[in-house]
Amino acid sequence: MKLLTLFSSLLFSTFSLAGDKIYDESRDRHIPIEVSHPIESEHCNEAQKCSVAMLSAGYGVSHTKYAFLSKQLNQLGYMVIAIGHELENDPPLSVSGNLYETRSENWIRGAETLDFIKHSLASTYQNYNFNDLLLIGHSNGGDISSWLANAGKDYIDTVITLDHRRVPLPRRKDINVLSIRGSDYPADDGVLPSKKEAKEYSMCVKEIPESRHNDMTDYGPKWLKDEINRVIDNFLNGSSCRVNS
């Protein structure tokens, strides 16, 4: 598997945070973000830091259209940083050839963005723990999250994907993994764990019957959003997960 190599210069990149965007000077990128805080954020402090989730939108979907996820994670004690990865001048996502190869540029760029935001905002939000991140992403955002998780970074605690289809989930015993699957499109070979791998690495794959890939956003039906949140809640609270693979 081709892995992402992140340049150490990212650790020292100059950035600025203005309104709903963060500027990465090293790449000249104004990255759209939306930050939402835990319901009981007054309990977050440097001695007892609260958790952080970085939410990556699906391709062509605004990062602001996953409020059902952000609100649920806020209730569970997470600060959520929702991220829009694609800018107007970025090349379009490839739809031809070997997609794992032709889309890797997009995933590399997205993973660099996650890494940049992690290192940049940790000093801004000192009451939050950026060293045990939850990465959550829908579709292409899940591919980006999986790409970074496969890069060997030690600051990722959990990866949750919503029906991503291309990048293999991390097979690492130090990362908790949940993948929620729709019922209309299959994942590529090797993306999801075999039953043996799921057991070895304690990976959770949960298919939601009669659910559609494109409905896993705020635009989707209430029953589906409620079920996604129920699965995530159970997973993060340590409930057992029935593996489908």
Side-chain angles (χ1 to χ4, degrees):
M1 184 195 310
K2 183 179 179 182
L3 295 180
L4 167 67
T5 300
L6 292 169
F7 298 102
S8 60
S9 61
L10 280 176
L11 300 177
F12 307 103
S13 296
T14 301
F15 80 97
S16 59
L17 185 60
D20 58 354
K21 292 185 179 180
I22 182 171
Y23 179 58
D24 179 355
E25 182 177 323
S26 68
R27 296 185 297 158
D28 191 26
R29 292 182 69 81
H30 293 272
I31 304 160
I33 64 171
E34 183 177 66
V35 178
S36 58
H37 295 272
I39 299 301
E40 298 182 348
S41 59
E42 66 273 11
H43 298 311
C44 305
N45 53 65
E46 290 193 53
Q48 189 171 355
K49 297 187 177 185
C50 290
S51 300
V52 177
M54 297 175 67
L55 194 164
S56 295
Y59 188 77
V61 183
S62 170
H63 63 294
T64 65
K65 299 305 179 182
Y66 295 88
F68 80 101
L69 289 175
S70 294
K71 290 178 180 177
Q72 172 77 357
L73 290 168
N74 290 158
Q75 291 175 2
L76 293 173
Y78 287 82
M79 179 175 75
V80 179
I81 305 168
I83 303 157
H85 286 280
E86 283 74 43
L87 306 184
E88 289 185 1
N89 58 341
D90 289 339
L93 194 66
S94 173
V95 295
S96 62
N98 181 329
L99 295 182
Y100 188 82
E101 295 179 355
T102 60
R103 292 186 178 182
S104 62
E105 177 186 8
N106 176 284
W107 302 329
I108 290 171
R109 184 170 59 248
E112 288 177 342
T113 292
L114 292 178
D115 189 76
F116 166 76
I117 291 175
K118 182 267 185 208
H119 286 102
S120 298
L121 295 189
S123 59
T124 302
Y125 295 101
Q126 297 184 13
N127 293 340
Y128 295 89
N129 181 10
F130 282 80
N131 292 320
D132 294 292
L133 290 178
L134 162 61
L135 303 182
I136 181 168
H138 170 226
S139 190
N140 193 64
D143 288 320
I144 289 170
S145 300
S146 294
W147 189 277
L148 181 60
N150 284 321
K153 298 300 174 182
D154 62 1
Y155 54 73
I156 302 169
D157 178 78
T158 301
V159 171
I160 298 176
T161 72
L162 276 62
D163 213 40
H164 85 295
R165 299 175 58 203
R166 309 296 177 189
V167 178
L169 289 165
R171 274 71 164 173
R172 290 175 53 180
K173 292 184 177 180
D174 61 336
I175 295 181
N176 302 305
V177 175
L178 165 66
S179 188
I180 298 173
R181 313 305 306 173
S183 56
D184 52 350
Y185 296 115
D188 289 351
D189 290 344
V191 169
L192 303 179
S194 65
K195 290 183 178 180
K196 180 180 179 181
E197 288 174 326
K199 182 177 181 180
E200 179 180 358
Y201 296 104
S202 299
M203 303 168 73
C204 179
V205 179
K206 178 66 176 178
E207 180 179 340
I208 299 179
E210 301 182 11
S211 65
R212 300 193 306 173
H213 178 90
N214 290 336
D215 285 344
M216 294 183 174
T217 72
D218 286 346
Y219 299 111
K222 182 178 184 300
W223 73 264
L224 177 55
K225 291 182 286 188
D226 288 346
E227 180 62 11
I228 290 171
N229 279 336
R230 187 191 68 81
V231 173
I232 291 174
D233 182 272
N234 286 342
F235 178 74
L236 293 178
N237 283 305
S239 297
S240 60
C241 175
R242 176 174 168 270
V243 174
N244 300 298
S245 58

